[in-house]
């Protein structure tokens, strides 16, 4: 199967694929207006401003991204071009803008993956930084935010939900019940057992792709068939379950890429269409590993919520977020972040590595990038060093 996947006609990335609808700028301004209401409404309710979507943190874990040096040529793209290990921090969250949402309310889950020590040609949003952000969701397709017009409808609904937080949670649960790939979401599955999807496409070096994280340990796969037990009457049931898992287990995910081969079957501008993974298979390009740890370190949780920014444009150009939904994010995220900074009296901290994060670093997690081959500039010259099996701690 590998040889077949190697010889397929993967479409090359080109800026020419961008097709901006005439109404997009108007829709984005309407979304900004709605976000202003939502963020201010949450601040008035809680005395603190949280993210306008996926506000409730379920846990934050530290780990590493492991890239094989034996990938086929079409997968050796961007960050995956060279085998090595990169430090990673990942936040689990639940849907909605209300940080007080009861964990027992079913609905989509999400993660934001921050890969650290990533160098390369960056977008202005990430100038001075060294992280690469990816946002993943437990639903395979972003049906409610397929483009700017769809995002406008959802955020205007969110404005109504400010006065009735249960409205958004109820709608999310209903949507989960109606999605064939969301059965696990609808029954409140363990978050570490869920497959997670980028939902929107990214540039993938020379090509274009969507991404997926697939649980890869026996314990995670066993829990995929289970439901979070609510044997304690607590709104923190999922947080507690995740904390229990990480206190006893290591989590691993296969990082898979689904490359674009046909723009009709796999549209870039409209994110609401499923890319058929039988016709266009996912391929494993790397592995995420998160050792045993405290997934609910409150200092780290608060640091992420108040001082880190989550933005898919906060990265290198070889992984450019593409399509209509990603252009909406490019306009909305900086505005929302600046408003939250103003309300909370907090500033974004541009972390340079794992050492800048609060809390202990789990055993086996590198603090610097480990590469089999490193190229570094010394006095204007390129020198290459073979560091063999050395692991940087």
């Amino acid at each position: 199967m590998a040889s077949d996947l190697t010889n397929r006609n993967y479409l090359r990335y080109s800026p020419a694929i961008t097709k901006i609808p005439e109404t997009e700028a108007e829709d984005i301004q309407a979304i900004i207006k709605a976000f202003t209401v939502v963020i201010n409404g949450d601040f008035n309710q809680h005395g603190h401003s949280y993210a306008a979507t996926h506000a409730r943190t379920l846990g934050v874990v530290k780990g590493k991204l492991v890239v094989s040096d034996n990938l086929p040529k079409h997968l050796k793209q961007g960050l995956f071009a060279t085998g090595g290990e990169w430090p990673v921090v990942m936040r689990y969250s639940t849907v909605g803008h209300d940080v007080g949402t009861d964990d027992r309310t079913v609905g989509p889950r999400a993660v934001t993956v921050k890969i650290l020590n990533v160098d390369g040609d960056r977008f202005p949003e990430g100038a001075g930084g060294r992280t690469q952000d990816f946002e993943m969701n437990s639903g395979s397709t972003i049906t409610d935010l397929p483009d700017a017009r769809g995002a406008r409808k959802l955020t205007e609904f969110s404005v109504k939900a400010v006065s009735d937080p249960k409205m958004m949670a109820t709608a999310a649960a209903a949507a989960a019940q109606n999605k064939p790939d969301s059965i696990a979401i609808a029954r409140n599955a363990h978050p570490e057992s869920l497959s997670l999807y980028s939902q929107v496409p990214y540039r993938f070096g020379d090509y274009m792709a969507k991404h997926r994280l697939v649980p890869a340990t026996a314990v995670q796969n066993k829990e995929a068939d289970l439901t979070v037990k609510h044997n304690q009457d607590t709104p923190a049931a999922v947080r507690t379950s995740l904390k229990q898992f990480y206190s006893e287990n290591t989590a691993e995910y296969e990082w898979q890429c689904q490359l674009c081969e046909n723009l009709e079957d796999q549209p870039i501008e409209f994110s609401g269409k499923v890319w058929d993974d039988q016709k266009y298979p996912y391929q494993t390009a790397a592995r995420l590993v998160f050792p045993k740890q405290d997934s609910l370190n409150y200092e780290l949780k608060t640091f992420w919520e108040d001082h880190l920014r989550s933005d898919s444009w906060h990265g290198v150009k070889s992984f450019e977020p593409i399509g209509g939904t990603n252009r909406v994010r490019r306009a909305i995220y900086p505005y929302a972040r600046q408003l939250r900074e103003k309300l909370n009296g907090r500033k974004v901290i541009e972390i340079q590595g794992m050492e800048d994060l609060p809390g202990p670093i789990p055993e086996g997690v590198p603090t610097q990038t480990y590469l089999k081959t490193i190229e570094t500039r010394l006095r204007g010259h390129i020198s290459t060093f073979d560091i063999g099996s050395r692991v940087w701690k």
Side-chain angles (χ1 to χ4, degrees):
M1 187 175 183
S3 59
D4 293 338
L5 294 177
T6 298
N7 296 321
R8 293 168 74 119
N9 184 30
Y10 301 116
L11 299 183
R12 290 187 171 268
Y13 168 79
S14 168
I17 65 169
T18 300
K19 308 293 181 184
I20 302 178
E22 292 182 1
T23 60
E24 185 170 281
E26 175 189 337
D27 290 333
I28 288 175
Q29 289 305 308
I31 296 169
I32 288 176
K33 182 178 179 180
F35 262 56
T36 304
V37 174
V38 171
I39 292 172
N40 278 292
D42 282 346
F43 180 79
N44 291 334
Q45 180 180 358
H46 300 293
H48 193 85
S49 176
Y50 296 89
T53 59
H54 294 282
R56 183 174 176 82
T57 300
L58 299 175
V60 182
V61 291
K62 298 174 181 177
K64 62 183 178 181
L65 174 76
V66 182
V67 180
S68 170
D69 202 34
N70 298 317
L71 292 176
K73 185 177 179 180
H74 67 282
L75 293 181
K76 282 182 171 289
Q77 304 294 323
L79 184 64
F80 301 144
T82 304
E85 295 181 0
W86 284 259
V88 170
V89 58
M90 184 171 80
R91 172 184 181 252
Y92 291 90
S93 62
T94 197
V95 75
H97 64 81
D98 181 21
V99 71
T101 300
D102 193 316
D103 279 0
R104 293 164 295 184
T105 302
V106 298
R109 310 297 181 193
V111 297
T112 297
V113 181
K114 279 186 172 292
I115 308 171
L116 312 183
N117 300 355
V118 177
D119 296 313
D121 190 13
R122 307 181 68 84
F123 291 100
E125 292 87 337
R130 296 187 66 208
T131 67
Q132 174 68 51
D133 291 1
F134 284 92
E135 299 180 5
M136 307 273 195
N137 195 288
S138 52
S140 63
T141 308
I142 192 165
T143 53
D144 48 1
L145 294 167
D147 52 17
R149 180 52 54 92
R152 177 178 181 176
K153 292 178 180 178
L154 182 64
T155 51
E156 289 175 344
F157 172 79
S158 298
V159 170
K160 299 177 182 178
V162 169
S163 59
D164 183 7
K166 291 184 179 180
M167 180 187 295
M168 179 64 78
T170 301
Q177 294 280 2
N178 292 326
K179 292 180 181 179
D181 64 345
S182 297
I183 296 174
I185 306 170
R187 62 172 171 77
N188 223 353
H190 291 267
E192 71 277 2
S193 73
L194 294 170
S195 291
L196 299 150
Y197 303 81
S198 70
Q199 299 184 321
V200 295
Y202 290 77
R203 180 178 178 179
F204 185 60
D206 293 333
Y207 307 107
M208 300 170 287
K210 289 185 178 182
H211 300 271
R212 178 174 73 175
L213 302 181
V214 179
T217 71
V219 177
Q220 287 170 279
N221 290 328
K222 180 180 179 180
E223 291 195 342
D225 297 325
L226 304 176
T227 299
V228 174
K229 293 181 179 179
H230 299 148
N231 50 13
Q232 293 183 349
D233 186 19
T234 170
V238 176
R239 277 183 179 171
T240 303
S241 169
L242 189 66
K243 180 180 174 71
Q244 179 67 31
F245 171 85
Y246 272 107
S247 71
E248 301 173 350
N249 302 282
T250 291
E252 295 187 16
Y253 294 88
E254 290 187 3
W255 189 302
Q256 300 181 339
C257 305
Q258 184 184 29
L259 276 66
C260 183
E261 302 178 52
N262 184 312
L263 289 178
E264 290 189 7
D265 289 349
Q266 302 168 282
I268 299 298
E269 284 297 329
F270 183 78
S271 299
K273 183 174 182 177
V274 175
W275 288 14
D276 186 346
D277 59 7
Q278 296 299 311
K279 191 173 182 180
Y280 308 106
Y282 280 95
Q283 305 173 56
T284 298
R287 183 166 49 97
L288 284 174
V289 181
F290 299 100
K292 296 179 185 179
Q293 59 191 286
D294 181 5
S295 67
L296 199 56
N297 179 298
Y298 287 101
E299 187 180 5
L300 178 57
K301 169 186 175 293
T302 301
F303 184 85
W304 182 299
E305 292 173 345
D306 283 356
H307 295 294
L308 294 186
R309 57 176 174 173
S310 303
D311 190 342
S312 52
W313 288 91
H314 189 230
V316 293
K317 292 183 178 179
S318 58
F319 282 155
E320 176 183 351
I322 52 180
T325 300
N326 279 320
R327 285 194 302 275
V328 171
R329 289 174 172 175
R330 191 174 197 178
I332 300 302
Y333 283 10
Y335 170 80
R337 183 182 68 251
Q338 290 167 14
L339 178 56
R340 290 180 58 222
E341 285 181 358
K342 177 182 177 181
L343 293 172
N344 292 335
R346 303 285 192 273
K347 295 295 183 183
V348 165
I349 296 176
E350 195 65 71
I351 60 172
Q352 298 299 309
M354 188 67 78
E355 303 91 333
D356 294 337
L357 294 169
I361 298 174
E363 184 178 354
V365 173
T367 59
Q368 300 185 50
T369 304
Y370 159 65
L371 296 172
K372 293 183 178 178
T373 302
I374 291 181
E375 290 187 350
T376 183
R377 294 186 179 274
L378 295 174
R379 297 179 182 177
H381 298 281
I382 300 270
S383 298
T384 301
F385 300 88
D386 181 12
I387 63 174
S389 60
R390 178 182 176 188
V391 177
W392 291 13
K393 299 285 286 184

